[in-house]
Amino acid sequence: MSPRHVPAAWAPRTDRGRLLLVLALALTVTVFTATVPLLRDWFDLRVYYGTVNSWIHDGGRVYDYRVPGTPYGFTYPPFAAVVMSPMALVGLRTAIVTALLLNLAALAFVVRVLSGPARRRYGWYGAGLAACALALFEPLRDTISFGQVNLLLLALVLADARPPTPVGPSPSSASSHPSRPLHRHTAPHRHSPTHRHVPARRRSPAHRFERLRQLRWSCRSGWSRWAGVGIGLAAAVKLTPALFIGLLLISRRRRAAAVAIAVAAGATAFAALVAPDASRFYWTRAVWDTTRVGRLDYVSNQSLQGVLARLGVESRAVWAVLVVLVLCGWAWRARRAAASGDRLGAVALTGLAACLVSPVTWVHHLVWLLPSFAVLIRTGRLRVAGALYAVLCTSVVWLWFDDASGVGGFLGANAYTWVTLGLLVRLPVGHLPPNPRPASRSARVTAAPASAAAPTMNAVSDQPPSTSSSPRVRTAAAVATAEVGADRVDGPGDAADGPGADAEGVDGAVPGPC
């Protein structure tokens, strides 16, 4: 069941009623966020600001800085410090305002990508309800009030994962033009009584041009030609998004994976040139020292390592076994999702796995769960999405801040981990939304001439109508079915479906590398 078919008898039917509802919800959310949750006073942003100020103005070392009165300092790779260095040119208030605006812009982009064309159906009313719901989401609240970078990194990853806009008309739209046959899977030519495959040596220049144009469109209907740049930059700023490079590899996006690795390596090398001492210290010592980030048993650590730490299990071998199991399950499900063309599902699974296997996953890191809720909504699991989303809005894990012992502590203090693990196992991926683009129109246009021609041929030949369909009608029906299936599954389009899958049937040709 899609969102537009959800019963909404309680919803106001007039614009005035909708406006009053949005204003009432906005007031409730404002009161809630101002009184109930803990506001973080831009703590992480103060760490970033103090670090780059100490480094640029005082000549201090990047990883020696500590926020006064706390043991917390900079924990990201050196490239992150290089990217944040312009903060040393402005005051703290300006840095806070800039970070807030960047986070809001990144959130708007993330929502735009995750909602897709469906956002146009609901207009300002849907945008207002979505804003109120997002304001209650604890990982999102913490990301903004900490001044964190998680939303920006998620936006970079989704910029790579979103399907690009085709550079020309699609094969389906072009095939509707009666004078532009693209390949042998279209309707019979209007000047030919029967359809025949044109040998390569007899193809006209116009036919070859149309074939190349279709191949170009099929190449661009996959991931963007710049796919990998955003993931590489995100991995250079923070290690958690590096798992998305693994997604590119298991999805057989070798070119995009190579781009991501090259970008991440180039950014890291650039940081080594700018800050050689900091780079040497980070990659030889700091990256292996999880105590620099904080206590592993802290209730905000909602990773597998956090669960084990709260249980008192200190064995790295146990954690490694759990990580391997999670990664194996992720690789199997993500590969199947990518092979079926479900990019969003594959990205959602990767975000879930990254949160689980990271040694430290603070609550604000769980913004990587947002694609999972988009998948649940897309597939009609609205009650499941609502229930899990409500759990992540309650700050329930903080009830066990002082004592996470016993069965109650095991279940409650790790509640967000169980949500993440359950989504990794049960998230409905591989199910594309209904009618992702108007593909059936191509099939109808393709099949129409054949079905119209069949009675004409019967009338001319004075043959009695047969109870079974003529070969041309059956062929047209098969072509229509095949094109609907091909258009409804917006597959990876690279090599996930095997070499040459994108152009299979285009005059029997297999395209070169896109």
Side-chain angles (χ1 to χ4, degrees), residues 126-137:
L129 294 180
C132 292
L134 289 171
L136 294 174
F137 192 54

Side-chain angles (χ1 to χ4, degrees), residues 57-210:
H57 295 306
D58 302 332
R61 295 182 178 181
V62 172
Y63 297 100
D64 286 348
Y65 175 80
R66 296 292 184 273
V67 176
T70 75
Y72 299 109
F74 198 76
T75 59
Y76 294 164
F79 181 69
V82 174
V83 172
M84 297 175 184
S85 58
M87 283 196 293
L89 305 177
V90 299
L92 179 60
R93 292 182 180 273
T94 303
I96 290 174
V97 172
T98 303
L100 177 61
L101 294 177
L102 287 175
N103 270 325
L104 293 178
L107 177 61
F109 177 80
V110 167
V111 172
R112 178 184 178 87
V113 173
L114 295 182
S115 59
R119 67 183 179 277
R120 301 190 186 97
R121 267 202 309 268
Y122 304 104
W124 65 266
Y125 180 57
L129 294 180
C132 292
L134 289 171
L136 294 174
F137 192 54
E138 183 182 5
L140 188 58
R141 293 197 317 258
D142 280 1
T143 289
I144 293 177
S145 62
F146 267 122
Q148 262 283 341
V149 298
N150 303 301
L151 272 177
L152 298 173
L153 302 182
L154 177 58
L156 283 174
V157 170
L158 291 180
D160 274 356
R162 64 174 181 160
T165 302
V167 295
S170 68
S172 60
S173 62
S175 63
S176 63
H177 196 287
S179 62
R180 294 181 181 178
L182 290 182
H183 51 79
R184 66 171 180 250
H185 285 175
T186 57
H189 194 275
R190 57 182 177 178
H191 298 305
S192 175
T194 58
H195 174 65
R196 292 179 299 177
H197 174 59
V198 181
R201 62 180 178 275
R202 292 171 54 190
R203 295 175 192 149
S204 65
H207 185 90
R208 293 177 181 272
F209 174 78
E210 292 296 343

Side-chain angles (χ1 to χ4, degrees), residues 244-500:
F244 287 91
I245 300 178
L247 173 63
L248 295 175
L249 290 173
I250 66 174
S251 303
R252 300 181 182 177
R253 302 287 177 184
R254 297 182 181 90
R255 180 183 181 278
V259 170
I261 294 172
V263 169
T268 303
F270 176 73
L273 291 175
V274 175
D277 293 338
S279 297
R280 187 180 306 109
F281 177 81
Y282 181 82
W283 294 111
T284 58
R285 294 179 56 187
V287 70
W288 312 107
D289 186 6
T290 57
T291 60
R292 289 178 52 86
V293 183
R295 288 177 20 233
L296 294 178
D297 62 345
Y298 188 49
V299 73
S300 182
N301 185 13
Q302 292 293 307
S303 67
L304 294 175
Q305 180 71 82
V307 175
L308 294 176
R310 284 185 286 275
L311 289 175
V313 179
E314 298 181 358
S315 173
R316 291 294 183 91
V318 175
W319 173 72
V321 169
L322 293 178
V323 167
V324 169
L325 291 176
V326 167
L327 289 179
C328 288
W330 158 76
W332 180 69
R333 299 206 70 206
R335 182 184 176 113
R336 287 172 61 90
S340 69
D342 189 0
R343 295 186 191 90
L344 180 57
V347 168
L349 291 172
T350 308
L352 294 168
C355 290
L356 289 170
V357 303
S358 175
V360 177
T361 299
W362 303 133
V363 169
H364 54 263
H365 294 167
L366 297 179
V367 293
W368 293 100
L369 270 63
L370 285 175
S372 300
F373 288 102
V375 171
L376 289 173
I377 294 173
R378 181 193 68 183
T379 54
R381 273 69 167 186
L382 299 181
R383 293 182 180 179
V384 175
L388 297 180
Y389 194 87
V391 172
L392 288 163
C393 293
T394 58
S395 304
V396 63
V397 297
W398 297 100
L399 296 176
W400 287 269
F401 176 79
D402 295 321
D403 184 13
S405 61
V407 177
F410 177 71
L411 297 176
N414 306 309
Y416 296 170
T417 307
W418 308 139
V419 170
T420 307
L421 186 60
L423 286 172
L424 180 65
V425 174
R426 298 291 296 171
L427 189 70
V429 297
H431 306 283
L432 295 179
N435 299 324
R437 62 176 186 245
S440 58
R441 180 175 53 191
S442 160
R444 288 196 300 268
V445 173
T446 304
S451 60
T456 303
M457 294 177 63
N458 288 336
V460 171
S461 59
D462 293 330
Q463 296 295 327
S466 174
T467 55
S468 60
S469 301
S470 67
R472 291 186 65 183
V473 174
R474 289 198 301 271
T475 302
V479 170
T481 304
E483 292 197 358
V484 170
D487 279 345
R488 285 181 62 83
V489 180
D490 190 12
D494 213 5
D497 298 326

